[in-house]
Amino acid sequence: MTQQGALTMALFWAVRGATWRRSGCLFVRHFSQAWRRGERPGGEELSRLLLDDLAPTGARGLELLFGLSPCLLALRAARRRVARLLLQAGRSGLQGERAELLRAAEARDIPVLRPRRQKLDALCRYQVHQGVCMEVSPLQPRPWTEVEEARPGDDSRQLWLVLEGLQDPRNLGAVLRSAHFLGVDKVITSGRNSCPLTPVVSKASAGAMEVMDLFSTDDLASFLQARTREGWLVAGTVGCRGPEISPVPEIPVTSCLEFLWDQPAVLVLGNEGSGLSKEIQASCQLFLTIPPGRPLPPGLESLNVSVAAGILLHSICSQRKGFPAEKR
């Protein structure tokens, strides 16, 4: 190559790189034109984009949300500020939910970048990202005092889920996914000793965290006692009965298979290791337990909290079928 040709090529790549570094504007323009022409989003236009080096955005307080469902539901819910959408390079065309991601980003003028798989893996600390990530503002549970409390007379089949001290983000995410799927009306967490709403929680919830109404209170015992005064049934949870389990003597223990849901109820789940604290146990009117299918050796008298939540919630929520107040 001649010296003049080499200078020409260097100038070309410099201009091209500078164009791409303008906060993703090149993508937004190309995609807008393709969309207006009625072309399939994520097709030939997407393949023209340059690979980005993922330089820092410069914005503080952002976190990396990962996974197709969490990112798509976060865009739909529009609760978070989104700095950038990151789509893994190497896909010549995008269809279905990935194409919808592009449309949602276009509608909100969100820059879209195409990092390589290795870069996304490193950014996500090798979590399962499905080739989709977003730089977003964090989600926080809302203080309980910010919402208008429902009264028992409003709906005799209300079910609220209270979580005391859940600390494993995957457990919390799995519980939220079951709660959303089975129709829990509200979820309230303890303000202290609880896992924050991290991207790992969102991924474990399959994105349910992005669309649910989540609340928090620093005084869980007072919250439960107030519900009792208003006519709610506050039901705690314990492992299968045995010498190691010593719930408050005056509070009855009932199998979840025998529980009759005939009034607004609050179901309370405790910490993965220690269960419900003594203070919260004393605020309950009833303990629910899951009967085992066989005699159990010591150490296996309880279930993982997310598994127990799914069983208990299904046992309760299935009673909605056939009633006029059935949730729709």
Side-chain angles (χ1 to χ4, degrees):
M1 181 182 294
T2 64
Q3 183 177 6
Q4 182 177 1
L7 290 174
T8 301
M9 289 299 296
L11 179 61
F12 169 77
W13 286 110
V15 172
R16 191 177 183 186
T19 303
W20 175 242
R21 285 192 293 269
R22 290 172 55 204
S23 301
C25 293
L26 180 62
F27 171 82
V28 174
R29 183 171 63 254
H30 279 176
F31 182 66
S32 299
Q33 294 169 355
W35 194 12
R36 283 194 289 269
R37 291 195 300 268
E39 297 175 6
R40 179 172 62 85
E44 182 182 355
E45 294 292 333
L46 184 62
S47 66
R48 298 176 187 172
L49 296 180
L50 299 177
L51 300 180
D52 186 72
D53 61 1
L54 283 185
T57 60
R60 294 183 178 180
L62 297 179
E63 61 186 17
L64 194 68
L65 190 66
F66 58 91
L68 181 56
S69 290
C71 290
L72 182 56
L73 291 173
L75 282 177
R76 289 175 180 169
R79 295 176 174 179
R80 297 181 185 260
R81 179 171 60 89
V82 181
R84 299 189 294 189
L85 171 63
L86 314 177
L87 290 175
Q88 179 183 317
R91 300 177 184 271
S92 59
L94 301 179
Q95 299 179 358
E97 292 181 332
R98 285 179 172 80
E100 185 177 343
L101 274 171
L102 291 179
R103 295 189 187 98
E106 162 69 12
R108 294 173 56 180
D109 293 326
I110 297 170
V112 180
L113 309 182
R114 295 198 68 204
R116 298 181 187 275
R117 171 66 181 269
Q118 294 86 344
K119 177 66 73 171
L120 278 185
D121 288 345
L123 283 173
C124 296
R125 298 182 180 180
Y126 299 93
Q127 304 279 359
V128 180
H129 53 70
Q130 300 172 292
V132 179
C133 299
M134 290 197 312
E135 291 175 331
V136 297
S137 59
L139 273 185
Q140 302 290 342
R142 297 164 57 191
W144 179 252
T145 53
E146 288 187 1
V147 298
E148 180 180 354
E149 299 182 19
R151 303 295 175 181
D154 297 340
D155 182 357
S156 62
R157 286 306 179 94
Q158 289 185 75
L159 178 63
W160 296 356
L161 179 63
V162 169
L163 307 174
E164 184 197 15
L166 263 66
Q167 297 179 344
D168 187 303
R170 290 178 176 81
N171 276 340
L172 177 56
V175 169
L176 294 180
R177 182 175 185 177
S178 295
H180 187 66
F181 181 88
L182 292 169
V184 169
D185 296 290
K186 287 182 174 62
V187 177
I188 302 95
T189 64
S190 55
R192 294 185 295 271
N193 301 320
S194 291
C195 176
L197 301 181
T198 66
V200 175
V201 176
S202 187
K203 183 64 168 65
S205 76
M209 187 187 91
E210 305 298 325
V211 298
M212 295 180 70
D213 287 329
L214 303 174
F215 304 94
S216 178
T217 175
D218 289 329
D219 192 350
L220 203 53
S222 295
F223 169 85
L224 296 175
Q225 292 160 13
R227 303 290 77 72
T228 299
R229 291 193 297 270
E230 293 173 357
W232 293 72
L233 172 67
V234 177
T237 51
V238 294
C240 60
R241 301 189 68 178
E244 296 81 12
I245 303 298
S246 55
V248 182
E250 60 270 22
I251 300 178
V253 177
T254 301
S255 165
C256 65
L257 302 179
E258 299 173 355
F259 172 68
L260 178 62
W261 184 27
D262 56 2
Q263 66 184 104
V266 178
L267 179 67
V268 191
L269 295 173
N271 174 268
E272 291 93 342
S274 57
L276 295 176
S277 66
K278 295 296 184 182
E279 182 183 27
I280 297 304
Q281 284 188 8
S283 301
C284 296
Q285 302 161 269
L286 175 73
F287 291 125
L288 292 181
T289 188
I290 301 170
R294 57 159 52 93
L296 298 173
L300 292 178
E301 301 91 349
S302 63
L303 292 167
N304 172 275
V305 65
S306 64
V307 175
I311 295 172
L312 291 165
L313 291 175
H314 182 268
S315 179
I316 297 172
C317 293
S318 62
Q319 298 183 45
R320 279 189 170 128
K321 295 180 179 179
F323 287 84
E326 179 179 356
K327 189 177 182 67
R328 304 185 188 280

